[in-house]
């Protein structure tokens, strides 16, 4: 990362006026997350990628992104992409208007970027990083992370012909007039991204648990969120696949995962 450029994105000290681009893009992402649909997925991913570039290894930028409600934006994105909505009793009376069904490949790319941004925000780059991680922990919707892991697992396991897309289409078609995309055949690249994102999501949860000085099982309590065998099976599988290298020497800023 270019640390000098990261500083300029936050503060232009040689100009008469200053624009905090980190804060502005954080606000933009918050707005996009609340109106996420098939038409703005690309710009949403670009906003997330921009924040990744600006926040990687830079605590001050991470702090500004946090102040810009970045965690709530990630919560909203993951809920929108991976949590099945429940149909209201009378959608016409409540004025409910659900968005178009989003292509699975777009869900994977944006969801993976959101998880990566969350991982960047948890980097231990400053003496106050633990305090920031605690704030992220307080705001993070753990259920949304677990939902993402489950749905990504379904997508990768069924190679794009998952029951997830059928269930969402059926659910939304009950009370909206949108046309839905047929089941998609995911490319090998997207399947790999989906699987990698599952491991990255677990790593994020474990990093937060480490910051909070608890085990990841105590922090997440996966079966309390999802009383189903599938969540338990996936959780056990991920714990077996994700290996951590622990060293006794001081100065190791964080543990490294090897999926």
């Amino acid at each position: 990362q270019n640390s000098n450029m990261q500083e300029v994105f936050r503060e232009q000290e040689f100009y008469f006026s200053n624009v905090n681009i980190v804060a502005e893009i954080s606000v933009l992402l918050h707005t996009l997350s609340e109106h996420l649909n098939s038409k703005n997925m690309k710009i949403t991913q670009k906003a997330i990628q921009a924040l990744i570039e600006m926040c990687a290894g830079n605590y001050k930028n991470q702090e500004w992104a946090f102040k810009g409600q970045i965690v709530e934006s990630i919560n909203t994105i993951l809920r929108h992409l991976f949590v099945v909505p429940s149909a209201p009793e009378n959608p016409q009376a409540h004025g409910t208007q659900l968005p178009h069904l989003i292509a699975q490949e777009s869900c994977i790319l944006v969801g993976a970027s959101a998880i990566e941004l969350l991982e960047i925000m948890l980097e231990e780059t400053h003496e106050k990083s633990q305090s920031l991680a605690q704030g992220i922990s307080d705001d993070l919707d753990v259920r949304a992370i677990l939902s993402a892991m489950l749905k990504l697992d379904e997508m990768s396991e069924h190679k794009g012909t998952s029951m997830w897309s059928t269930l969402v289409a059926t659910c939304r078609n009950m009370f909206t007039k949108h046309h839905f995309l047929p089941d998609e055949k995911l490319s090998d690249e997207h399947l790999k991204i989906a699987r990698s994102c599952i491991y990255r999501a677990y790593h994020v949860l474990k990093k937060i648990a480490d910051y909070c000085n608890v085990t990841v099982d105590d922090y997440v309590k996966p079966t309390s969120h999802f009383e189903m065998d599938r969540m338990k099976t996936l959780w056990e599988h991920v714990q077996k696949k994700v290996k951590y290298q622990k060293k006794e020497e001081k100065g190791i800023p964080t543990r490294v995962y090897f999926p």
Side-chain angles (χ1 to χ4, degrees):
Q1 301 294 327
N2 189 325
S3 58
N4 291 332
M5 184 61 71
Q6 288 178 322
E7 297 296 320
V8 171
F9 280 128
R10 187 184 67 254
E11 185 176 15
Q12 304 86 43
E13 57 185 35
F14 299 109
Y15 294 89
F16 291 108
S17 60
N18 181 71
V19 178
N20 189 330
I21 299 176
V22 180
E24 295 294 333
I25 295 183
S26 298
V27 172
L28 171 63
L29 181 61
H30 187 68
T31 301
L32 289 169
S33 69
E34 293 182 330
H35 303 86
L36 196 63
N37 57 57
S38 58
K39 296 180 180 179
N40 61 20
M41 289 290 282
K42 287 186 178 180
I43 188 64
T44 299
Q45 186 176 10
K46 287 182 179 179
I48 295 173
Q49 289 297 327
L51 286 168
I52 288 173
E53 293 296 325
M54 290 186 286
C55 292
N58 190 304
Y59 174 78
K60 290 185 178 179
N61 286 357
Q62 292 169 359
E63 191 175 34
W64 274 106
F66 179 74
K67 291 177 181 178
Q69 299 183 315
I70 198 68
V71 180
E72 182 55 38
S73 298
I74 293 173
N75 288 340
T76 303
I77 289 170
L78 295 180
R79 290 188 202 115
H80 186 102
L81 296 181
F82 301 112
V83 179
V84 178
S86 56
E89 295 180 2
N90 188 350
Q92 284 75 22
H94 292 83
T96 302
Q97 184 73 11
L98 290 183
H100 292 277
L101 183 65
I102 299 171
Q104 289 189 63
E105 290 189 352
S106 296
C107 286
I108 290 172
L109 293 176
V110 174
S113 295
I115 295 295
E116 182 181 358
L117 176 57
L118 190 56
E119 185 180 35
I120 290 295
M121 293 290 293
L122 290 167
E123 289 179 331
E124 189 172 353
T125 59
H126 192 273
E127 61 183 1
K128 295 183 179 179
S129 289
Q130 184 168 0
S131 176
L132 179 61
Q134 184 62 56
I136 292 172
S137 172
D138 293 340
D139 292 349
L140 185 64
D141 184 351
V142 174
R143 184 182 177 87
I145 299 285
L146 296 178
S147 292
M149 293 174 69
L150 272 175
K151 302 314 173 186
L152 287 167
D153 180 58
E154 284 190 21
M155 289 180 184
S156 59
E157 182 176 308
H158 294 85
K159 299 184 184 298
T161 57
S162 67
M163 293 180 291
W164 164 245
S165 58
T166 303
L167 178 60
V168 173
T170 302
C171 178
R172 290 180 177 174
N173 199 33
M174 289 169 59
F175 53 98
T176 63
K177 297 181 180 179
H178 296 310
H179 298 286
F180 301 109
L181 298 174
D183 281 342
E184 307 156 75
K185 290 291 185 180
L186 297 178
S187 67
D188 290 341
E189 178 184 0
H190 286 87
L191 291 172
K192 183 178 179 180
I193 293 172
R195 182 56 55 180
S196 177
C197 185
I198 294 171
Y199 299 135
R200 190 188 293 271
Y202 173 80
H203 180 56
V204 163
L205 294 172
K206 193 170 192 320
K207 287 183 74 172
I208 294 178
D210 286 347
Y211 275 120
C212 297
N213 294 317
V214 296
T215 67
V216 66
D217 289 320
D218 287 339
Y219 173 68
V220 176
K221 296 180 175 59
T223 55
S224 68
H225 289 275
F226 297 92
E227 296 296 339
M228 58 178 72
D229 292 336
R230 187 172 181 82
M231 183 70 246
K232 181 180 178 181
T233 300
L234 176 60
W235 192 253
E236 291 175 349
H237 167 77
V238 172
Q239 288 187 316
K240 290 179 181 178
K241 295 289 287 185
V242 178
K243 305 297 181 183
Y244 288 86
Q245 179 178 342
K246 187 176 181 180
K247 295 184 178 181
E248 299 300 328
E249 293 86 357
K250 295 181 179 180
I252 302 298
T254 187
R255 293 181 176 133
V256 179
Y257 77 109
F258 298 94

